[in-house]
Amino acid sequence: MWSYLIPILTLIAGLVGGFFIGVFYLKRQLESMQNNPEMLQKMAKQMGYNMNKQQLNKAQQMMKNQKWK
Protein backbone atom coordinates (compact mmCIF):
# COMPACT_ATOMS: atom_id res chain seq x y z
CA MET A 1 0.00 0.00 0.00
CA TRP A 2 2.76 2.45 0.91
CA SER A 3 4.53 1.77 -2.39
CA TYR A 4 1.54 3.34 -4.18
CA LEU A 5 0.67 6.06 -1.70
CA ILE A 6 4.09 7.71 -1.30
CA PRO A 7 4.72 8.37 -5.04
CA ILE A 8 1.22 9.81 -5.47
CA LEU A 9 1.60 12.11 -2.48
CA THR A 10 5.07 13.17 -3.66
CA LEU A 11 3.71 13.97 -7.12
CA ILE A 12 0.87 16.05 -5.69
CA ALA A 13 3.25 17.94 -3.36
CA GLY A 14 5.64 18.60 -6.26
CA LEU A 15 2.89 19.92 -8.50
CA VAL A 16 1.51 22.22 -5.80
CA GLY A 17 4.98 23.47 -4.88
CA GLY A 18 5.92 24.03 -8.52
CA PHE A 19 2.74 25.98 -9.14
CA PHE A 20 3.36 28.36 -6.24
CA ILE A 21 7.02 28.85 -7.18
CA GLY A 22 5.94 29.62 -10.76
CA VAL A 23 3.35 32.16 -9.62
CA PHE A 24 5.90 33.85 -7.35
CA TYR A 25 8.47 34.02 -10.17
CA LEU A 26 5.95 35.41 -12.68
CA LYS A 27 4.71 38.02 -10.21
CA ARG A 28 8.29 39.15 -9.54
CA GLN A 29 9.03 39.38 -13.28
CA LEU A 30 5.92 41.48 -13.92
CA GLU A 31 6.78 43.82 -11.05
CA SER A 32 10.28 44.33 -12.42
CA MET A 33 8.87 45.10 -15.89
CA GLN A 34 6.99 48.06 -14.42
CA ASN A 35 10.28 49.81 -13.72
CA ASN A 36 12.27 48.57 -16.70
CA PRO A 37 10.96 49.65 -20.14
CA GLU A 38 13.67 47.71 -21.98
CA MET A 39 12.47 44.47 -20.42
CA LEU A 40 8.87 45.26 -21.38
CA GLN A 41 9.90 46.06 -24.95
CA LYS A 42 11.93 42.84 -25.17
CA MET A 43 8.90 40.81 -24.06
CA ALA A 44 6.71 42.56 -26.65
CA LYS A 45 9.22 41.78 -29.41
CA GLN A 46 9.26 38.12 -28.40
CA MET A 47 5.48 38.12 -28.77
CA GLY A 48 5.76 39.70 -32.23
CA TYR A 49 4.82 43.30 -31.35
CA ASN A 50 6.93 46.35 -32.04
CA MET A 51 6.06 49.07 -29.51
CA ASN A 52 6.88 52.76 -29.88
CA LYS A 53 7.55 55.06 -26.91
CA GLN A 54 3.92 56.10 -26.52
CA GLN A 55 2.67 52.51 -26.49
CA LEU A 56 5.47 51.55 -24.09
CA ASN A 57 4.52 54.33 -21.67
CA LYS A 58 0.85 53.36 -21.85
CA ALA A 59 1.68 49.71 -21.14
CA GLN A 60 3.82 50.71 -18.16
CA GLN A 61 1.03 52.88 -16.76
CA MET A 62 -1.45 50.04 -17.14
CA MET A 63 0.92 47.67 -15.31
CA LYS A 64 1.46 50.17 -12.50
CA ASN A 65 -2.29 50.45 -11.97
CA GLN A 66 -2.58 46.65 -11.57
CA LYS A 67 -2.63 45.19 -8.07
CA TRP A 68 -0.13 42.30 -7.81
CA LYS A 69 -1.40 40.87 -4.53
Side-chain angles (χ1 to χ4, degrees):
M1 179 173 132
W2 288 107
S3 61
Y4 295 113
L5 190 61
I6 290 176
I8 292 171
L9 291 176
T10 305
L11 176 67
I12 292 170
L15 290 173
V16 170
F19 173 77
F20 285 111
I21 290 170
V23 167
F24 174 76
Y25 178 75
L26 182 61
K27 185 189 294 187
R28 197 177 72 193
Q29 289 291 88
L30 288 173
E31 287 173 351
S32 69
M33 272 189 238
Q34 291 176 0
N35 302 323
N36 192 353
E38 291 85 19
M39 195 174 187
L40 184 60
Q41 192 167 27
K42 181 181 175 187
M43 183 192 72
K45 281 192 179 201
Q46 288 176 344
M47 292 172 46
Y49 295 108
N50 209 2
M51 298 174 80
N52 59 25
K53 283 285 190 192
Q54 183 182 9
Q55 291 170 328
L56 195 59
N57 288 336
K58 188 173 183 178
Q60 276 187 300
Q61 287 300 322
M62 287 173 58
M63 289 180 78
K64 285 182 182 179
N65 291 338
Q66 287 288 330
K67 303 287 186 232
W68 303 109
K69 294 182 182 179

